[in-house]
Amino acid sequence: MNRPEKLPSDVLPRLASRLEGIEPFHVVVLINRAKELEAQGRSIANMVVGEPDAPTPPLIAAAGMRAIESGRISYTSSLGTAELRDAIAAWYHTRYGVTLPRSRVVVTAGSSGALLLTMGTLLSPGDQVLMADPGYPCNRHFVRTMEGEAAGIPVGAESAYQLTAKLVEKHWAAKTVAVLIASPSNPTGTLIDHGELQRIHAVVKARGGVLIVDEIYHGLTYGKRDRSALEFADDLFVINSFSKYFGMTGWRLGWMIAPEPYIAPVDKLAQNLFISPSDLAQRAALAAFHPDTVALLDKRRDVFREQRDFLLPELRSLGFGIPVTPEGAFYIYANCERLTDDSYKFCWDLLEKAGVAIAPGLDFGDHLAKQHVRFSYPKSISVLADGVERLRKYLGK
Ligand SMILES: Cc1ncc(COP(=O)(O)O)c(C=O)c1O
């Protein structure tokens, strides 16, 4: 596919070759333009950003304030504070019935930090990681940054946009070392079947590889219980975050659960790359597991579900194709081929002419990218309704 906005490597005096394989996060470029238009006084129906409007839960904010008032915010252990690592381990027990020692919990700068550490720990130059296309755009770039090769496997409605054991078997190559699964997925909001995940794990293990499971949207499922990969195996990497369910995007805090033998190399890398995760964010996050916070977050999740239930039929009635009902995260990945032959141009035109911000499929891979757009729906129903109305007018429906 002809991808716009490549870095001008030919005009820079010096640019690492890995940057050739790293594309801008197109959503961010579009978000910046949406902000620019808003600053000029235009109102924008914003369904592009992957974060809810809601503020930091009050107990978390208060714990953060107390940390600041203590007058001392310091480096912590590079793996995170003992208190927070214990609290995360306890969360796995409460939530999934899984017993974890503190030693396997690594606190990171968002799940982005965890993904970077995981790739940095597992990949040698040229090593390949299999992942679904469409998928979260940064994943392939984490791999590229660590001199690996991301292989996007086209997936569609037939597998709920998730990899299957058969697909992993088919695409496994001599250079493949790992498989990355995200469930619920960004951009599709779909979940992987727990049995299928176990079958993928078996295929990966039989080939001497490592399974990485991104569970960052856990807590945000509508109907189905989200089940952690740690419920059936210890020899895999699980990535999670305080960003989404816990509503702490800007605090930049996440974590990973790694197999015990990997902790020392992960620690070594974390010391060098980050020294430590944010002390302030870690102290605030201790309040994330408080029952009052969890009750508030579960209420917010129920509201996201209502927002999905509002937007889904409206989009279908406008002509978007959504063959699989998204059961998690807060995204709808919609086929727009009945409405345009180029989703990238469509998104920009929609923003400029109708003031509706949505993400082009291009951001999430190559597979049928021109035929898809992503809606992010954790917005008030009035914003969603306004967006739908503007879309209706723009499409002449
Ligand atoms: C699937 C997925 N993984 C990882 C991330 C990174 O999030 P953070 O670094 O805020 O935890 C995101 C963010 O949108 C995501 O959608």
Side-chain angles (χ1 to χ4, degrees):
M1 172 182 299
N2 226 353
R3 290 174 170 275
E5 299 180 49
K6 282 226 160 208
L7 275 173
S9 53
D10 46 338
V11 297
L12 293 175
R14 181 94 203 127
L15 187 68
S17 57
R18 73 176 62 82
L19 265 297
E20 284 294 320
I22 295 180
E23 292 165 51
F25 206 161
H26 298 288
V27 172
V28 175
V29 184
L30 202 122
I31 291 167
N32 290 343
R33 177 65 184 148
K35 281 186 188 148
E36 218 172 79
L37 291 174
E38 270 173 339
Q40 290 165 15
R42 288 268 307 273
S43 89
I44 303 293
N46 195 327
M47 295 180 282
V48 68
V49 193
E51 69 181 341
D53 290 337
T56 301
L59 290 182
I60 300 177
M65 293 299 282
R66 282 197 303 278
I68 292 175
E69 280 158 11
S70 75
R72 188 159 174 78
I73 308 284
S74 323
Y75 288 139
T76 70
S77 152
S78 49
L79 296 177
T81 63
E83 293 86 343
L84 187 59
R85 293 168 78 200
D86 282 345
I88 292 170
W91 178 247
Y92 277 87
H93 195 254
T94 316
R95 199 79 184 197
Y96 308 102
V98 169
T99 305
L100 286 177
R102 174 202 300 166
S103 56
R104 290 184 54 208
V105 181
V106 182
V107 183
T108 56
S111 67
S112 305
L115 284 159
L116 195 64
L117 282 175
T118 302
M119 298 310 171
T121 304
L122 295 178
L123 303 183
S124 296
D127 284 348
Q128 188 186 63
V129 182
L130 304 181
M131 55 188 74
D133 178 353
Y136 176 58
C138 305
N139 284 336
R140 57 182 189 271
H141 300 142
F142 290 129
V143 172
R144 182 64 192 97
T145 301
M146 292 300 173
E147 302 298 332
E149 178 191 308
I153 301 178
V155 290
E158 64 291 343
S159 65
Y161 303 98
Q162 291 283 355
L163 292 182
T164 61
K166 272 212 177 98
L167 282 170
V168 171
E169 263 173 345
K170 185 173 152 203
H171 290 270
W172 193 277
K175 59 186 170 181
T176 310
V177 300
V179 174
L180 173 62
I181 305 282
S183 176
S185 143
N186 176 6
T188 64
T190 53
L191 274 62
I192 194 162
D193 173 77
H194 197 62
E196 196 61 38
L197 186 60
Q198 289 178 59
R199 284 189 285 280
I200 291 176
H201 175 252
V203 169
V204 173
K205 290 317 294 175
R207 284 156 183 75
V210 177
L211 181 61
I212 306 160
V213 187
D214 179 343
E215 299 185 347
I216 163 175
Y217 290 100
H218 268 220
L220 299 177
T221 54
Y222 315 114
K224 274 197 188 140
R225 183 170 87 77
D226 36 17
R227 303 193 56 186
S228 174
L230 293 166
E231 289 176 43
F232 67 81
D234 281 335
D235 54 356
L236 39 72
F237 284 69
V238 164
I239 311 291
N240 211 323
S241 179
F242 287 98
S243 287
K244 307 292 175 167
Y245 170 73
F246 295 100
M248 293 180 69
T249 46
W251 292 81
R252 308 309 303 129
L253 201 68
W255 72 86
M256 66 203 255
I257 311 297
E260 196 79 60
Y262 280 105
I263 294 297
V266 166
D267 190 12
K268 186 166 71 173
L269 202 55
Q271 290 161 8
N272 281 284
L273 293 186
F274 303 111
I275 303 184
S276 95
S278 154
D279 186 15
L280 171 60
Q282 290 185 83
R283 281 151 78 181
L286 281 172
F289 304 109
H290 189 286
D292 292 353
T293 304
V294 172
L296 170 78
L297 297 172
D298 282 349
K299 269 199 202 122
R300 285 187 184 174
R301 178 207 52 213
D302 294 343
V303 172
F304 297 157
R305 183 190 189 137
E306 285 165 18
Q307 290 159 346
R308 178 202 63 170
D309 291 347
F310 170 80
L311 190 60
L312 197 59
E314 294 284 0
L315 294 181
R316 283 177 170 149
S317 80
L318 285 174
F320 290 97
I322 307 157
V324 186
T325 295
E327 291 177 306
F330 32 58
Y331 306 114
I332 296 174
Y333 194 60
N335 184 307
C336 55
E337 67 191 336
R338 272 180 277 169
L339 310 170
T340 175
D341 57 6
D342 184 341
S343 63
Y344 185 79
K345 282 196 195 134
F346 178 74
C347 287
W348 278 98
D349 198 51
L350 192 62
L351 177 63
E352 296 293 344
K353 296 202 178 123
V356 176
I358 57 173
L362 174 71
D363 246 324
F364 308 102
D366 285 328
H367 180 53
L368 300 180
K370 278 189 172 181
Q371 285 94 313
H372 287 86
V373 291
R374 187 197 72 177
F375 291 82
S376 176
Y377 59 76
K379 317 282 159 196
S380 70
I381 300 268
S382 63
V383 169
L384 300 178
D386 178 36
V388 167
E389 227 14 74
R390 290 175 189 221
L391 263 166
R392 202 182 303 282
K393 268 199 202 123
Y394 173 84
L395 295 168
K397 300 237 169 187

